[in-house]
Amino acid sequence: MNSEKLKIAVLGGTGNIGEGMVLRLALQNLMTEGVKNEIIIGSRSRETADEAAKKALSELENCGFNTSGITITGSTNLEAAQAAEMIILTIRFDNVLPLLDEIREALENKILITPVVPMVKEGNLFIYKPPEEGSAALAIQKRTPASTKIVAAFHNIPAGKLKDVVKCKAVHHALVCSDDVEAKKKVMELTQHMGCLKPLDGGPLQQANTMESLTPLLINLAKLNGLKDLGINFS
């Protein structure tokens, strides 16, 4: 990873996946020499985002990390998107499309990472329910500017493992899909240094539906077999 400083916004960063992504991005700063990315937590409420930023720094300090070189701030989703060069959507699919309309102008020439999975609960289990475009990633691409570089990633990483920056030792593979070669490369480099994650090239964005559909499968397998925080490991 080079020493280029990035401003990375985690929209919906106050939820479980968002909190885990913030901690992993902070860990990447700590573990990679020369990297001092700025992390911006986006939320509908600036106050909620500010509290989430303070909580993340506190959790890292409680785990024994020196946070003096880490910048984590809170903002609204729109302001976070405007300030960032790279944006991660950690928001439920039902809420993503209206948000994209709100922040559309802020997405010009940005890298937009989507771990979003369209799924619904039927009985005690979840099923994958993609939109008419075929996947959340393609629906997001359709509703963003042509200059926005869409990257599908992090769908199959359990929130519990993302948030456990101390004990998580098992490697989970993070599949990364995009039609933009440089954007995919940048996200894979970022992932490589986040701890317990190993990126794998998942192909073009058209393949994102396969990745997305694995998430309800993992959740269902965990529920049916009394397991927790299932991820994907290829060997």
Side-chain angles (χ1 to χ4, degrees), residues 30-72:
L30 290 166
M31 303 300 289
T32 311
E33 185 176 353
V35 174
K36 296 298 175 189
N37 294 325
E38 180 180 337
I39 305 159
I40 310 168
I41 297 175
S43 177
R44 287 173 292 183
S45 162
R46 180 192 295 275
E47 291 74 19
T48 302
D50 282 336
E51 286 302 313
K54 293 174 185 175
K55 178 183 176 183
L57 287 169
S58 177
E59 287 187 14
L60 290 166
E61 289 168 358
N62 290 339
C63 290
F65 294 108
N66 181 355
T67 61
S68 59
I70 298 176
T71 302
I72 305 177

Side-chain angles (χ1 to χ4, degrees), residues 12 19-20 24 34 48 54 61 69 73 94 117 161 231:
E19 288 178 355
R24 286 289 157 186
T48 302
K54 293 174 185 175
E61 289 168 358
T73 58
D94 291 346
V117 176
K161 294 293 176 65

Side-chain angles (χ1 to χ4, degrees), residues 7-177:
K7 290 185 178 180
I8 306 174
V10 182
L11 306 190
T14 58
N16 279 337
I17 294 292
E19 288 178 355
M21 288 303 306
V22 168
L23 291 174
R24 286 289 157 186
L25 291 168
L27 188 65
Q28 189 244 0
N29 273 7
L30 290 166
M31 303 300 289
T32 311
E33 185 176 353
V35 174
K36 296 298 175 189
N37 294 325
E38 180 180 337
I39 305 159
I40 310 168
I41 297 175
S43 177
R44 287 173 292 183
S45 162
R46 180 192 295 275
E47 291 74 19
T48 302
D50 282 336
E51 286 302 313
K54 293 174 185 175
K55 178 183 176 183
L57 287 169
S58 177
E59 287 187 14
L60 290 166
E61 289 168 358
N62 290 339
C63 290
F65 294 108
N66 181 355
T67 61
S68 59
I70 298 176
T71 302
I72 305 177
T73 58
S75 189
T76 64
N77 284 320
L78 175 58
E79 290 171 342
Q82 289 171 332
E85 290 96 33
M86 182 181 288
I87 301 162
I88 306 175
L89 293 170
T90 59
I91 296 172
R92 290 168 58 93
F93 179 69
D94 291 346
N95 299 324
V96 162
L97 301 186
L99 174 63
L100 292 177
D101 291 336
E102 179 187 341
I103 67 173
R104 181 180 170 83
E105 291 184 7
L107 299 177
E108 291 279 2
N109 299 304
K110 306 284 180 74
I111 294 176
L112 183 63
I113 303 171
T114 165
V116 178
V117 176
M119 58 183 179
V120 296
K121 194 170 186 180
E122 289 194 357
N124 292 322
L125 301 177
F126 286 90
I127 63 166
Y128 180 56
K129 192 173 182 181
E132 61 182 14
E133 291 83 0
S135 68
L138 291 176
I140 289 167
Q141 183 183 53
K142 184 177 179 180
R143 287 164 177 80
T144 51
S147 65
T148 307
K149 304 167 184 67
I150 308 297
V151 180
F154 307 123
H155 303 84
N156 315 128
I157 313 298
K161 294 293 176 65
L162 283 175
K163 294 169 74 172
D164 188 355
V165 295
V166 174
K167 296 179 181 178
C168 181
K169 302 299 182 184
V171 173
H172 291 282
H173 283 105
L175 310 181
V176 184
C177 291

